[in-house]
Amino acid sequence: VAKILALAGLSPCLSALAISATTMSGKTRPDTGVVLVAEPAQAARGKALGTRADLVSADGILATVEFESPWPLQQGTYYDVEVKSKEGGDGAFLVSKTPKSGSPASLPATWFRDAIFSIDGRYGAYGAPADVKLLRDEVIENDRLLEYSFTALSPSRAEVLRRCYVRATSAPGSKDVFAIVAGTTAARWRKEKGDETSRRVADSLRVTATKKTALKKDESSDYRTYKSKMPDLSRQKEGGNAKYGGDL
C-alpha cells in the first residue's frame, strides 16, 4: 500500500481503507475507465458540495478532477466517482477514457456515445441504453458539451426516459478525456429544472492539478484493489448505499 501511494505522491490515510468492501449483489461495477489512487472526497462549498478525485491517466499523469453538485457522494465499491440525489433520479458521475487520438474538441460525437452509453457503462446496469439521441454538440474553449436523450432500464426492467449533459475536458500532458455525465429523468428535466441543475454541474468540471506518476491505468493501481487485501473495517464506516442500489 505504502509503495503505491508513494508512487502517486500521496500519504496513506485511514479513510481510504475504511469504505465497505461490499459490492452490489449480482452486479458488476460499471466500466467508467476511472482508476482512483485514493477515496474521492466531498466538502461543502457554499450551497454546493464540491467533489474531488485523483485519477490515473494512461500516459503517466495523475489528475485531480473536481466538480460541484447539490448531491451527496455515493460510497461503496460499486461506484467510482458518483453523486446522486436520494429521490428523483438526479445525479452525476465521472468517466475517464483514452482515445486513440484527438482531443475533447475534435473527437467525433460517436466516440462519446460509445464511451458513455455502452452496456458496460453506468447506464447499462440492467441492459444497454436505447434510443440514444444527440441533441446538442458544441465546443466551449477546449472542452466539449453534449446533450443527450435516451431510454434506460430500471431494476424492475421498466423503461425510463432520461436526459443528460456531458462535459468533457483533458489534463495538460495527457490524451485522456475526463468527462462528467449529469442528468435526470425526462419528466424532471424541465418541470423540476433538472436541465438547469445538470448544466451547472456539468459546467463546474475542472482539472485543478496534475503531476507525473509511475502508476499504470489499470486495476492494480486502484486503491480499492489493495484495500480489499486489508482488514475489513466496514463496521467503522458503512458504505454502498444499497438502498439506492444501481438505480439510475
Side-chain angles (χ1 to χ4, degrees), residues 111-164:
W111 185 89
F112 291 96
R113 173 176 174 147
D114 293 342
I116 295 165
F117 297 104
S118 72
I119 193 170
D120 296 325
R122 180 62 183 90
Y123 290 126
Y126 303 100
D131 304 320
V132 179
K133 297 178 181 178
L134 179 62
L135 306 177
R136 177 187 302 195
D137 184 357
E138 60 183 278
V139 174
I140 301 177
E141 297 179 351
N142 294 320
D143 289 358
R144 190 75 162 268
L145 178 70
L146 307 100
E147 179 184 350
Y148 290 95
S149 68
F150 61 99
T151 301
L153 292 177
S154 73
S156 64
R157 301 290 178 175
E159 294 186 344
V160 181
L161 299 178
R162 295 188 63 86
R163 299 278 292 272
C164 70

Side-chain angles (χ1 to χ4, degrees), residues 100-114:
K100 292 182 179 179
S101 62
S103 66
S106 65
L107 286 166
T110 53
W111 185 89
F112 291 96
R113 173 176 174 147
D114 293 342

Side-chain angles (χ1 to χ4, degrees), residues 31-34 55 81 93-97 115-116 177-181:
D31 178 17
T32 63
V34 168
L55 278 59
V81 185
F93 58 92
L94 292 183
V95 173
S96 173
K97 297 288 186 176
I116 295 165
V177 173
F178 303 112
I180 188 168
V181 183

Side-chain angles (χ1 to χ4, degrees), residues 66-102:
E66 302 188 34
F67 63 91
E68 296 182 352
S69 78
W71 311 306
L73 183 65
Q74 301 299 289
Q75 297 179 340
T77 54
Y78 177 78
Y79 301 100
D80 291 322
V81 185
E82 181 167 343
V83 296
K84 192 164 65 170
S85 64
K86 293 183 179 180
E87 299 177 356
D90 305 350
F93 58 92
L94 292 183
V95 173
S96 173
K97 297 288 186 176
T98 309
K100 292 182 179 179
S101 62

